[in-house]
């Protein structure tokens, strides 16, 4: 068995764990709905993937990089928020700012399952949360 190409011309990559090993989609989808799984995404950036209620992966990944000053932050399942420990910014489950000082929603990437791997590619279309061109493009 040969896994799909790990990097392709469109700038996409396959999700890996922190040790640099490819992560099978089935491993993440074995987690309960609502799980936010942290993987190494584009340029190795830590990226949250969401397991949806129907047991599939959400097509948006959320980059774990606070739009205030770039801290990484945990998912707080009890409050259903991403909460930045550096200066208290909070984001809703889709990465919209709930509380500052963060000025912008969290960056998105595109997520797709390809055979049993997870392809992550740059999000260049309209940001579905704002209806605007993404701030990171
Ligand atoms: Fe996240 Fe300042 S870096 S709140």
């Amino acid at each position: 068995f040969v896994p799909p190409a790990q990097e392709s011309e469109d700038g996409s990559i396959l999700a890996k764990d922190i040790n640099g090993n490819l992560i099978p989609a089935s491993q993440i989808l074995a987690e309960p709905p609502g799980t936010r799984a942290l993987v190494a995404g584009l340029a190795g950036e830590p990226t949250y993937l969401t397991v949806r209620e129907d047991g599939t992966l959400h097509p948006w990944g959320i980059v774990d990089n606070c739009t205030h000053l770039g801290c990484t932050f945990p998912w707080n399942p009890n409050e259903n928020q991403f909460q930045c420990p550096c200066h208290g910014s909070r984001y809703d489950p889709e990465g919209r700012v709930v509380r500052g000082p963060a000025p912008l929603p969290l960056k998105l990437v595109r997520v797709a399952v390809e055979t049993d791997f997870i392809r992550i590619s740059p999000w260049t279309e309209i940001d579905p949360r704002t209806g605007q061109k993404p701030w990171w493009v």
Side-chain angles (χ1 to χ4, degrees), residues 27-89:
Q27 179 181 323
I28 294 194
L29 294 173
E31 300 292 328
T35 295
R36 266 65 180 180
L38 206 47
V39 301
L42 295 175
E45 270 190 314
T47 301
Y48 284 104
L49 307 183
T50 302
V51 180
R52 296 195 288 193
E53 289 303 316
D54 65 0
T56 61
L57 271 186
H58 198 292
W60 317 342
I62 292 182
V63 176
D64 183 7
N65 186 324
C66 183
T67 61
H68 180 222
L69 293 174
C71 287
T72 57
F73 47 80
W75 167 248
N76 181 332
N78 299 319
E79 298 196 48
N80 218 30
Q81 289 180 336
F82 295 103
Q83 298 183 339
C84 184
C86 291
H87 314 95
S89 290

Side-chain angles (χ1 to χ4, degrees), residues 11-25:
S12 70
I13 55 101
L14 296 178
K16 295 181 179 172
D17 65 20
I18 52 165
N19 298 317
N21 300 312
L22 291 177
I23 300 183

